[in-house]
Amino acid sequence: KAGVTQTPRYLIKTRGQQVTLSCSPISGHRSVSWYQQTPGQGLQFLFEYFSETQRNKGNFPGRFSGRQFSNSRSEMNVSTLELGDSALYLCASSLSGVGTDTQYFGPGTRLTVL
Amino acid sequence: AQSVAQPEDQVNVAEGNPLTVKCTYSVSGNPYLFWYVQYPNRGLQFLLKYITGDNLVKGSYGFEAEFNKSQTSFHLKKPSALVSDSALYFCAVRPLTSGTYKYIFGTGTRLKVLA
């Protein structure tokens, strides 16, 4: 079974631009979560989607948004990029996100904002 | 507030020696507990989880973790460390409170196994 895939793997943007990251979950997984990883803050939860609905959201500004499609693929968008948005963005999928589910992570998208 | 603590930023151990990476948590109720490992420029890989039952959980690559409810700890262990075990290790908890669908991660512990 293929794992979680994320595209692109690397991205360089400038301040003020916007960016869209994509995540394809493991086949059959319907829950997709997004995390931001930085050296200073560690892993910070962004949001979680299930059946095209956002179920939970972390403490990030409204510039960070996401969506999930009917095939469970998810996208994350960051508008008006700031230098501090430079990070590794990780996507994780699980069957349902509840119960004894385990999250499985993708390789991440490394975003650099100049 | 719910939290996970990994008190050591880095753990150094000689190859062949046993290793322990510590994790304590503060959440209400009985959470599910997880360990993940991250190699350079990679995502997190699932190692093991504790749901219920035996306090000693066995996982991938020879790792195991011991759950201690009274100390709210979930330490990761391996009897004999390998140089290839050098990586960043994350402890995570998933609280079971209603409406919570997120994991809380510790800050990570860098394990360095010396040849």
Side-chain angles (χ1 to χ4, degrees):
Chain A
K1 204 181 246 189
V4 179
T5 57
Q6 292 186 245
T7 56
R9 291 292 311 277
Y10 302 91
L11 210 46
I12 299 175
K13 293 285 187 179
T14 56
R15 278 184 301 173
Q17 287 187 309
Q18 76 164 18
V19 66
T20 299
L21 312 181
S22 180
C23 171
S24 292
I26 291 171
S27 178
H29 285 194
R30 295 171 64 192
S31 169
V32 174
S33 296
W34 288 89
Y35 295 84
Q36 181 195 65
Q37 184 180 15
T38 58
Q41 299 295 319
L43 273 159
Q44 302 284 309
F45 172 77
L46 281 155
F47 27 66
E48 188 259 358
Y49 286 88
F50 180 82
S51 290
E52 303 177 66
T53 300
Q54 186 183 88
R55 290 196 298 193
N56 208 346
K57 191 177 187 307
N59 297 323
F60 278 80
R63 300 184 298 105
F64 292 81
S65 63
R67 60 177 175 168
Q68 187 180 35
F69 302 93
S70 58
N71 62 357
S72 295
R73 189 177 70 86
S74 177
E75 286 183 348
M76 191 192 94
N77 185 275
V78 187
S79 62
T80 319
L81 285 166
E82 300 177 0
L83 295 179
D85 297 334
S86 294
L88 181 66
Y89 289 88
L90 293 165
C91 164
S93 77
S94 65
L95 281 168
S96 64
V98 298
T100 59
D101 257 12
T102 298
Q103 283 191 341
Y104 294 92
F105 285 79
T109 294
R110 171 78 61 188
L111 172 64
T112 302
V113 182
L114 302 176
Chain B
Q2 299 173 327
S3 63
V4 175
Q6 292 182 244
E8 301 153 318
D9 288 338
Q10 181 159 317
V11 170
N12 295 327
V13 63
E15 187 175 31
N17 282 3
L19 69 88
T20 299
V21 182
K22 296 179 181 177
C23 172
T24 59
Y25 62 92
S26 175
V27 301
S28 54
N30 297 317
Y32 296 143
L33 302 159
F34 301 80
W35 275 101
Y36 287 86
V37 59
Q38 186 177 35
Y39 296 99
N41 299 315
R42 304 282 295 276
L44 276 65
Q45 294 180 31
F46 168 72
L47 276 178
L48 51 80
K49 67 181 178 184
Y50 175 82
I51 303 300
T52 187
D54 193 352
N55 289 343
L56 188 64
V57 180
K58 293 192 184 298
S60 305
Y61 313 120
F63 284 93
E64 55 191 27
E66 186 168 15
F67 170 65
N68 188 315
K69 186 174 181 178
S70 62
Q71 297 184 4
T72 60
S73 68
F74 189 53
H75 300 332
L76 181 70
K77 301 184 180 191
K78 188 173 182 182
S80 179
L82 300 172
V83 172
S84 57
D85 293 331
S86 298
L88 188 57
Y89 290 81
F90 289 94
C91 178
V93 301
R94 194 168 80 70
L96 299 182
T97 50
S98 175
T100 300
Y101 303 100
K102 64 179 183 181
Y103 287 58
I104 302 169
F105 282 85
T107 51
T109 298
R110 189 163 299 281
L111 173 67
K112 190 172 276 189
V113 181
L114 308 169

